[in-house]
Amino acid sequence: MYQKGRAWIELNIGHLIHNIRQFRALLPRDCALMPAVKANAYGHGATLVSKALQGQGIQNFCVASAAEGIELRRAGITGEILVLAYTHPAQFGDLIAYDLTQTVVDAAYARELEQDGRQFTVHVGIDTGMHRLGERWDNVEEIVKIFQTPNLKVTGIYSHLCVPDGTGPKAREYTLEQIHHFEYAAEELRRRGFCGFKCHLQGSYGILNYSELCFDYARAGIALYGILSGKSDRVNAAVELKPVLSLKTRVESVKMLYQGESAGYGLAYHAGRDCKIAVLSIGYADGVPRSLSNRGQVLCNGKIAPVIGRICMDQMLVDVSGAGDVKAGDEAVLIGKSGDLEIRAEDMAQWAGTISNEILSRMGERLERVAVN
Ligand SMILES: *Cc1c(COP(=O)(O)O)cnc(C)c1O
């Protein structure tokens, strides 16, 4: 039985389903969602999330590694699982054994797959301007060679946008160029008689800011989990997204810190007045950024409790002087709602000087994950 012992994640599956419906309403009818469930589904728990997605009719998933794909297959996930990055030749057997679709990261990689001698199902990455993975969009002859490689069954091509979140004219211009480059490569392939391959380009911001595009799949990640990367981000689409994840922990101990005393490693917090502090059973090993030391906030009893001192590996200290009758065993909320207040992943990301994608994908393995609603 689930114990909610020391620190845990609550998943609101109802919100996940709501977000799926929002995306489906936004996307063209023929465009299927291909959720990004890499990095343990952005920390939410890959198996729980993927099963819920499959329950909503999702048949395409993307992951970052063969190992992540294997985890999904072992959990009974069917349909297509696309590995978005490099797989080492020593693991090529896994691609076949677990029916994973591999990304061809460039022309040289296609030759490596070919040398293996077995047959692989692949999507060809097209570099349209991010200069990360993919064969260059204008190396049409190389892309054609990949399609002609006997042991590669090419079922799709895809690219990735690098400034779809940008709202200024430069970002928009660059994105439109990337879109044109992608369409050029697809058209050149069709002109040479290749057909039947699927095309996909958009991640969350590509969907939310360029929803008029019409490709076969849309690789929704962060926004499917109900949040944006940055707190001040604005998007064109009128969607209402609901956060799926809450991060909670327990108060282990409550004590006084008297004026003039210091607390924690490095004596990093100095009490200017008497205060009541609570020790929480969560730390940076669970994914709470250490940069929240003396900076972040949590919620106790529907009130704000500021972080004091350095975040430890397994614990952290908060000032609960203004949070009423807090006692050992109480819940504290790091991400989510308590009473009328809410801390969102975007808030924690802002305090930590990063994006919510990083905050979520680093949620620790020790956290129990439990579906609610
Ligand atoms: C992670 C990833 C996505 C999902 O991105 P979000 O911005 O989280 O929606 C899509 N495509 C590729 C290639 C990715 O690596």
Side-chain angles (χ1 to χ4, degrees), residues 23 34-38 42 62-64 82 84-85 130 132-133 158-161 164 200-207 218-225 229 357:
F23 272 103
M34 184 193 241
V37 291
K38 59 193 184 183
Y42 291 47
C62 37
V63 295
L82 171 64
L84 292 170
M130 175 141 178
R132 192 175 63 175
L133 294 183
Y158 75 94
S159 189
H160 196 47
L161 300 171
H200 48 110
L201 177 67
Q202 300 143 286
S204 294
Y205 283 83
I207 299 167
R219 303 184 304 265
I222 191 70
L224 201 61
Y225 303 102
S229 296
N357 312 44

Side-chain angles (χ1 to χ4, degrees), residues 60-79:
N60 305 82
F61 300 86
C62 37
V63 295
S65 68
E68 289 181 346
I70 292 170
E71 184 188 345
L72 296 192
R73 287 287 186 235
R74 288 189 174 147
I77 298 298
T78 59

